[in-house]
Amino acid sequence: MSVQQYDEIGEAFEGFKSLPLMRYGEVPSFLGMVGDVSGKSVLDLACGTGFYSREFKRRGATDVFGVDISVEMIAAAREIEQRDPLGVGYEVGDVIELRPLDRRFDIALGVQCLNYAEDIAAMERMCRNIHQSLVPGGEFFVLAQKPDYQFDCASLDRYGFHCEPIGEEIETGPRVRVTALLDPQPISIVSSAPRREVYEKCLQAAGFSAVEWVPLQVSEAGIREYGKDFWADLFASPPLEMLRCRA
């Protein structure tokens, strides 16, 4: 899947986090799953414009380093760091070809990362590189398209997204187009929705253990803002799922 689709987005990618699904679902769920990072080092893989890198630095992480394959995404992340210095480092890099870093990290993040592997061998290689970048006992936290999401369920449009299969299948699972309904210009990205067993086997083959799937939640702030009924379709068919594991 071409890096060009991300190079064309740049800092506009920050707008994704303002949409209801992200603001009240993904972000609080992922932050809550990772938990307290005080005094810990964090490696943010497929970091995009550095949203989570910055969040965890603000939450007390001592050393945060973001890696993304997109030159434009890293340029945007560095520009944000320049405007609001937090001490986060960024580098252009491919997780499949991740260079040996000069230190190991306590925590690795993979938000919409592993689902860009073109085949099982590529995903396993990504997982091995991530495992080698962690201290023994370090944790890896993943967020991605829910593996068994049913695309014929209720629309996600009210939550800011449109999600559809594009009729292609690769070794890991179906290809998927996700459109963020941003104003004035929606943004579409194509990735894949790997099967659950693909994630688990690749992580375990790389040396990870205690693989645990974690469901997406909606924050109390989201319930207060929109009411519980607004979220009924999301609760019935959540499009995202998280997992955690240990090196």
Side-chain angles (χ1 to χ4, degrees):
M1 279 158 271
S2 173
V3 67
Q4 184 180 354
Q5 61 184 342
Y6 280 99
D7 281 341
E8 291 172 353
I9 296 169
E11 196 166 335
F13 189 65
E14 288 285 298
F16 279 47
K17 298 296 190 268
S18 68
L19 298 172
L21 174 60
M22 300 291 101
R23 184 175 181 183
Y24 298 113
E26 179 203 299
V27 173
S29 293
F30 192 70
L31 294 176
M33 177 178 66
V34 176
D36 184 14
V37 297
S38 299
K40 296 182 178 179
S41 55
V42 176
L43 176 61
D44 188 4
L45 299 158
C47 68
T49 53
F51 176 86
Y52 284 110
S53 299
R54 297 190 301 277
E55 278 295 310
F56 286 113
K57 192 69 170 72
R58 292 188 187 105
R59 288 165 183 256
T62 53
D63 176 19
V64 180
F65 191 65
V67 178
D68 198 279
I69 195 172
S70 167
V71 172
E72 292 303 322
M73 287 286 181
I74 291 297
R78 286 172 173 164
E79 187 175 330
I80 295 169
E81 171 68 20
Q82 219 171 20
R83 293 199 305 260
D84 180 18
L86 294 171
V88 179
Y90 296 102
E91 179 176 294
V92 176
D94 185 346
V95 181
I96 297 176
E97 306 292 342
L98 190 65
R99 71 171 180 86
L101 300 171
D102 58 5
R103 73 275 200 199
R104 291 192 172 193
F105 294 81
D106 300 307
I107 290 170
L109 314 175
V111 175
Q112 304 291 6
C113 173
L114 298 182
N115 48 314
Y116 284 95
E118 287 288 345
D119 53 36
I120 291 171
M123 186 186 287
E124 187 174 317
R125 189 169 178 179
M126 292 168 82
C127 292
R128 289 187 187 279
N129 288 338
I130 296 165
H131 187 277
Q132 291 168 7
S133 301
L134 287 168
V135 299
E139 292 184 283
F140 180 34
F141 298 94
V142 176
L143 184 140
Q145 191 85 31
K146 187 174 181 179
D148 44 12
Y149 179 69
Q150 300 299 310
F151 293 96
D152 58 356
C153 65
S155 168
L156 297 173
D157 289 20
R158 65 162 60 182
Y159 310 118
F161 286 86
H162 186 71
C163 186
E164 58 191 341
I166 64 172
E168 296 178 21
E169 188 93 11
I170 60 175
E171 188 179 19
T172 59
R175 285 197 193 275
V176 176
R177 179 183 294 108
V178 175
T179 301
L181 303 176
L182 295 168
D183 185 24
Q185 182 65 47
I187 294 174
S188 292
I189 293 172
V190 174
S191 65
S192 68
R195 297 182 298 280
R196 199 173 296 272
E197 65 271 18
V198 170
Y199 280 114
E200 293 172 358
K201 288 179 180 177
C202 289
L203 287 165
Q204 289 163 357
F208 286 101
S209 62
V211 178
E212 175 191 1
W213 290 93
V214 180
L216 195 76
Q217 305 289 337
V218 173
S219 68
E220 288 298 321
I223 302 295
R224 288 195 303 271
E225 178 73 18
Y226 290 98
K228 193 169 184 178
D229 289 347
F230 173 84
W231 299 102
D233 291 338
L234 186 70
F235 285 131
S237 300
L240 300 172
E241 194 165 6
M242 307 179 295
L243 65 80
R244 60 189 304 163
C245 53
R246 193 173 294 277

